[in-house]
Every structure is written in structure tokens, then in C-alpha cells.
Amino acid sequence: MSITRQKAIESAIKHRENQASVTGQGCVRDYFGTNVFSDSQMKSRLPKAVYKALRKTMDEGVPLDFSVADFVASAMSQWAIERGATHYAHVFYPLTGLTAEKHDSFFSPDGKGGLIAEFSGKQLIQGEPDASSFPNGGIRATFEARGYTAWDVTSPAFLTEGRNGLTLCIPIAFCSWTGEALAKKVPLLRSMQALNKQAQRVLKLFGHEDPGMITASAGPEQEYFLIDRSFYYARPDLLSAGRTLFGTRPPKGQELEDQYFGSIPERVLDFMMEVDSELYKLGVPVKTRHNEVAPAQYEIAPVFESANLATDHQYLVMQTLQRVAPKYGLACLLHEKPFAGINGSGKHVNWSLAGQKVGNLLNPGETPHENMQFLVFCAAAVRAVNQHADMLRGAVAHAGNDHRLGANEAPPAIISVFLGEQLTEVFEQIASGGAKSSKKNGVLTVGVDTLPPLPKDATDRNRTSPFAFTGNRFEFRAVGSSQSIAGPLVVLNTIMAESLDYVASELEKAPRDKRKFSAAVQKLLQRIIRENSRVIFNGDNYSAEWREEAGRRGLPNAASTPEALEAMNSKQTYELFAKYGVLSRREAESRFEIYQEKYVKDVMIEARLCLSMARTMIFPSGVKYQQLLAQTAAALTTIGKTSCTTTLDEVNSLLARLQKAMMMLEDVVKMPEGLSHAKQCRYIVGTVIPVMNELRQVADALEHVCDDEIWPLPTYQEMLFIR
Ligand code: ADP
Ligand code: MG
């Protein structure tokens, strides 16, 4: 038996034997948020006036004063130092990769042989990391590679625990000296502002004189795989690309669906419990944990929060999953498609907008008036998705996600909206009804009739749609499991802001008289639905019929990242981002460059890995097996027996094909010089990927017949089923 397999089996068994030593954490209430510099901490540690000023910044977006910042900095650092922290870090989310942080000590020499703790407001709200090595798409030349960072007051500071100490982490927004957003947080905050502004305009028309701040909320469901760590280390592809580049399907895949309904394996459950308690300490409200459809696949989801906080917490979820896994001898795979032929992982982003005074705006109400308002927000969302489907598609485009979207898996690359039968019918009635307030048969008049009850039950809804209305929110399911949710949320908020702007501008022209206003709303809804209903689809999104139907409806279908990015790279996109103050043209263009470059890098790393694994692991193993078979055949012939060479012939021909594919890949991984990013992308899609696919196909066929003792890579069978 291979040593790695032996090790994996040992650690799975050992974990079970060690069960007795695993202890619980006590009552959750006692430790939830203990590592967060929370509102109650601030309230008790700050002078009243300072606390009030800070709250004003948090709740109303008023700029933070330096004098206030000094108090906050001192209270925050005292709290952290009392807890045992020695360092602080400004944490931000660069445009590629997960997070970036630079640690600084609170302490400096006091000149008398001791130390003093120093942490001022200036260090809190403004730092100057040298960030020349972060991708910036040409925004700054390296010689002026300084950026500034500011604490995002709407996201609390927290402590991370290492084995040897604690670090105070301060979530920050990151800009260049000229004010351009260099990371993901600034545009997210700007998009939330834009949405708030436009939503308030609409609400005012519906009689809310002071609707208060409207926030976008997000509840991201994270899917992931867990495999034994020995396998992870034994697979260069998992280590460097996050997914297997080779591997035949196991005899038992996911056809029985017994994993989804089955109980969680003990080692995994212990892991999940530690992840949950670590996240509780950080104030992340994790709520559900369960098995997913594929073997070795699981899900974790917190309760939804404001989009900004949810984004920060989502990073912590991903980090914690990866940090805790090794303690249980496991590796957590966040890639969208770690195993071919087995379900991939997504991150469903549940999204809605709400205000403290007005509640959830995507919640159908009880009265005709509330229903009318709901229909307006819902229709605005449908319009946003139809008009800007290319931006939504672009926001989830990256190399990993290409194996889900556009491949034979859910959801497809065609962006459509699922509304459910009842709501679709309501919209159809409105569309066919005309603006008359007279009630025809089966025609719903907004402002007069109430909606039929809409199902809130999550069990029977369509799970194949990339963008589904699920009772009181939309669920964007095309987001990839490894991706930050910031980008998709920026697009969602921005396109919704644009749609609400359109609605408000139209309705502001209407008379205020109640009946006349309702008639105007009806007319507007009618127009919105007629113009945008092509994007509504309640059927099976995986079917070939839908692909054809979507083509007839003229819905875009960008199968690959380069296509999706290219479609988003338009004047319309840039103008939209600029109009709502989310991204300047320069910022948006630089992002486009960065994402193209990232795609090229990701796939080229895979291509080179593919080649080196084929040359140094797979081909030599095939030759060993070939030798074994040939020697046996020769020996049999020597003693006068006839030997059957069917397998040997098969291996011979596979090795010949493998060799040919390797040579071709060797050739095409040398990217021609001087190509633009766009041309590099096209080269990859048209030339590199097909050769990688051919190579994989042959290698997998070889694995299928090769001696298990000789095969150098952990197999799908063992990775997915040894727990
Ligand atoms: P399912 O797997 O059925 O989609 P889950 O319970 O796993 O459901 O996840 C649903 C997610 O949606 C949770 O994060 C939940 O907090 C979130 N959610 C619920 N209501 C809203 C809402 N109004 N706005 C945004 N997210 C919401
Ligand atoms: Mg879901």
C-alpha cells in the first residue's frame, strides 16, 4: 500500500481513538465575540461624547474626527494589550488573493531600558503601507508606491489567536495617495452608499418621509471539500493549483446522494465545531453546517449581516476553515472544482436591502400599499439583472469558476432570474393588465389588491437558477467558492442603485394623489416587466433546451472568463460605475487588467504543472507498468505459454498518445512574446486548454488500467472516501 494512503488511514483511525481528549468550549454565550472590540467594549471604555461621535460615523457615515480617533485608538490598544496582544495589523483585501496584513508592534523602547506602548489615532485611521507589490493594474508606478489606509469604522477590530500570541487586526480601506481604491473594500462601501441614496428616493415616494439608512445585507453560504492532509501533500496539483489536474472518477461517485443526507463523519464534525467556536469568538454568527452533495463536500453559513461586515466575516470564515483543518489532519479545499466529474463548490450569496425603520424591502407586505412597494423593488432587481447581466457574469469570472459555469454544471453561465410561479404570475398579470384601475378578470391592480401568498418554504425551490428569489431575498448562486463576495456585491448594489434611480426618476414625475400615483406605479411596473421579462426563467437551468431558449431570447452566454471579462469591458459598464461613484474609469479599467492578468497566471501555472506532473510522475509510472507487463509476457513465452497482451497493447498505445500530448503541451506553454492580455487570454482558451484536456484524458485512461501500487498520485477513490 502507498505510504500516503497508509498515513491517511492511520490519521483517520487515530482521530477516532483520541476522541476522549476532545473537550467542548463551554457556553457559547460566554465566548461569542470575546475577541472583538465590540460596541459594548467601546461603550464602556470610551468617554460618552467620543462614543456618541463614533456611533454617528458608524450609523450615518459622518467622517471620523482625528480627536475621536485618538481616544478610540488608545481604548482599542489598551483592550488588546490587556488581552495579551503585542502587535497590530491593518488588514485589507487586495484585488487578488485572500487578505494582506502587515504586523507592527505596539511597543517601542522608552529610552530607559523598558518599553512603552504607542498607538495613536493617526496609526488607527491612517497608515502608510508600502504596497508596490500588490496588483494595481498600472494605477501607480512603483516609485510612488505608497498608499494610505483608513480604519473602516463599520467593521470592528478583532484579535486573532496564534499559538504564541495575539494580534489586533484592524479592517481597513486601502487607497493610493491620489485617492484611487486599491482593494475591494472602498468600492463596496461606495456601492452601498449609492444603493442607500437611490433606495431612499424611492421610499420617499412611497410616503416614508425619513426612511433612514438603507443597507444591503448578505448571507454567504460557503461550500468546501475536506480531505486527509497526507493526500494533499502528495498531490502537487492540489498544493499549487488548488485542484486536481488528473484523476479518474471513483467507481462510486455521488449518484447515491447518500452523502447529502448522511450524518457528518466524526472527524469532520469535530473540525466543524472548532471552526464554529473560533468564529464565534470573532463575532461571526455562523449558523448552519452540513454535508453537501459530493462526497467529502460540506457547507458552512452564517446569519446574514450588512454587506460590508458580511464580506469581512466571509474572509474570516475562509481563513478559519483553512487554519483549523491541519489540526485534524485535514486539508480544506476552497477551489471551485477540486475534482472533475464531482460537484463543484460555490458560494451562494443571499442578498437583500433593508432599513431599521422600513424593514426588509424584498419582503412582500400585508397591505396592498406595502405590496406595491415590494413589487417595485422586486421589479427593479429583475430589471437590473436583465440590463446588466454581463456585469454580474463578469463579477464571478475567474479561472476556477469556469469549471462550474459554462461547464456541465450548475448554475450555467447564462444569467437569469427565478421568481417562482406565483410571483411570475403576478408580474404577468400586471404586464397584461394595463394601467386601468378597473379590475378585469385575473388582473391585479397594484395599490388595490393584495398579493397572493408567496411560498417562503425553502425546500421546493428551484436550485438550478443562478439568481433566485427565495421569499424575501435574492440568492446569487454563480459566485465561486474561493472568491471574495465583495466584487459580486459591488455589482449587485451598483446595478440595483441604477435601477432604483430609474424608478425614482420616473415616479417623481407622477402626481402625489394616491390613486393617480398607484396608476403610475402600475404603468411603470408594466413597462419594466415587458422590457425585462426575457430574463425570468423558472425551469431547469441545466437543460439543453434552456440554452437554446436563452439564445432565442438574446441572453448573453459567456462560457469562459476571457469572454465574460471582455463583455464587461464596455463603455456602459465604466459609465455606470462612474455615475454612481463606485469606481472611476481608471479604477475600473485597472481592475479589468488585473483580472485578465490573474486569469492568464492561474491557467499558465496549471499548464506548467500539468506538464511537469505528466513528465515526471505519470509517464514514468506508465513505463514501469509497461515494463512489468512486457517482462511477464516475455517470461511466459520463454516457458512455452501463450501470453495475452491486450493490456500491454492498451498501455503501449496510451503511452504513445501521452508522449504526443506532452510534446504538444511543452510547445504551447511557451506563450508567444508580446501579446496583450486580451490576446493571451484568447491564446489560452483556444490553444493551451484543449491540449491540457487531451493530456488529462490520456493520463486518466492510463490511471484506469495501471497497477495501483505503481500509480504515483493519491486517487479520487481514496481522497474522497478515506475520512
Ligand atoms: P439554503 O441552503 O436553503 O439556501 P441556508 O440556511 O444555508 O439556506 O442559508 C441561507 C442564508 O441566507 C443564510 O446566510 C441566511 O442568514 C441568509 N438570509 C436569510 N434571510 C436573508 C435576507 N433577508 N437577506 C440576506 N440574506 C438572508
Ligand atoms: Mg442556498
Side-chain angles (χ1 to χ4, degrees), residues 373-384:
Q373 183 189 303
F374 158 74
L375 287 171
V376 162
F377 277 93
C378 195
V382 172
R383 180 186 173 279

Side-chain angles (χ1 to χ4, degrees), residues 335-607:
H335 193 281
E336 283 71 20
K337 194 78 175 178
F339 305 100
I342 303 274
N343 257 32
S345 299
K347 184 142 50 197
H348 297 176
V349 177
N350 294 268
W351 171 85
S352 64
L353 51 168
Q356 275 181 357
K357 291 187 195 163
V358 294
N360 179 356
L361 299 173
L362 293 176
N363 213 351
E366 311 263 304
T367 65
H369 184 76
E370 284 168 355
N371 283 331
M372 177 161 74
Q373 183 189 303
F374 158 74
L375 287 171
V376 162
F377 277 93
C378 195
V382 172
R383 180 186 173 279
V385 176
N386 182 47
Q387 312 248 322
H388 308 291
D390 52 345
M391 289 172 72
L392 279 174
R393 175 65 185 91
V396 297
H398 61 273
N401 223 7
D402 280 3
H403 300 280
R404 295 173 67 228
L405 317 172
N408 283 330
E409 201 185 306
I414 306 160
I415 302 287
S416 65
V417 182
F418 168 85
L419 282 183
E421 240 174 77
Q422 283 85 339
L423 198 53
T424 306
E425 218 180 287
V426 167
F427 278 137
E428 276 167 4
Q429 282 177 23
I430 294 171
S432 65
K436 293 182 213 91
S437 50
S438 68
K439 192 176 165 187
K440 279 189 230 151
N441 221 3
V443 171
L444 187 129
T445 311
V446 298
V448 179
D449 299 330
T450 43
L451 290 178
L454 303 174
K456 284 222 177 87
D457 183 14
T459 50
D460 70 340
R461 39 176 229 247
N462 183 327
R463 292 205 162 257
T464 67
S465 175
F467 200 83
F469 182 69
T470 54
N472 61 358
R473 61 187 185 270
F474 282 98
E475 186 171 335
F476 187 22
R477 304 208 184 96
V479 183
S481 51
S482 71
Q483 204 185 334
S484 159
I485 61 171
L489 285 171
V490 166
V491 169
L492 272 174
N493 294 341
T494 309
I495 63 178
M496 186 63 169
E498 188 274 336
S499 224
L500 291 173
D501 181 5
Y502 167 78
V503 166
S505 308
E506 289 299 307
L507 292 180
E508 276 161 4
K509 293 180 216 151
R512 283 301 114 90
D513 167 78
K514 240 184 182 168
R515 262 196 40 230
K516 284 185 186 150
F517 180 72
S518 296
V521 171
Q522 176 114 7
K523 206 168 154 197
L524 178 65
L525 283 175
Q526 196 177 48
R527 192 156 86 223
I528 293 180
I529 297 156
R530 281 185 186 160
E531 285 169 6
N532 299 283
S533 66
R534 64 168 191 167
V535 82
I536 300 170
F537 180 65
N538 294 323
D540 179 1
N541 284 255
Y542 305 170
S543 65
E545 292 86 67
W546 168 233
R547 230 165 297 150
E548 283 164 29
E549 166 74 22
R552 277 195 295 277
R553 293 190 192 183
L555 297 177
N557 180 8
S560 69
T561 296
E563 264 180 84
L565 289 178
E566 215 41 85
M568 194 185 182
N569 180 24
S570 68
K571 198 169 149 236
Q572 203 198 0
T573 304
Y574 293 133
E575 281 175 2
L576 189 71
F577 277 136
K579 180 170 178 195
Y580 295 96
V582 176
L583 290 170
S584 69
R585 179 147 196 142
R586 205 154 105 105
E587 287 170 338
E589 277 175 349
S590 78
R591 264 150 225 260
F592 173 71
E593 287 280 311
I594 288 167
Y595 298 141
Q596 272 191 335
E597 200 182 325
K598 173 90 167 71
Y599 174 81
V600 171
K601 276 190 190 152
D602 284 348
V603 184
M604 290 313 282
I605 287 172
E606 287 188 351

Side-chain angles (χ1 to χ4, degrees), residues 119-136:
F119 189 63
S120 69
K122 204 163 176 337
Q123 279 154 306
L124 175 65
I125 64 169
Q126 204 151 304
E128 312 173 14
D130 171 37
S132 50
S133 56
F134 291 109
N136 55 53

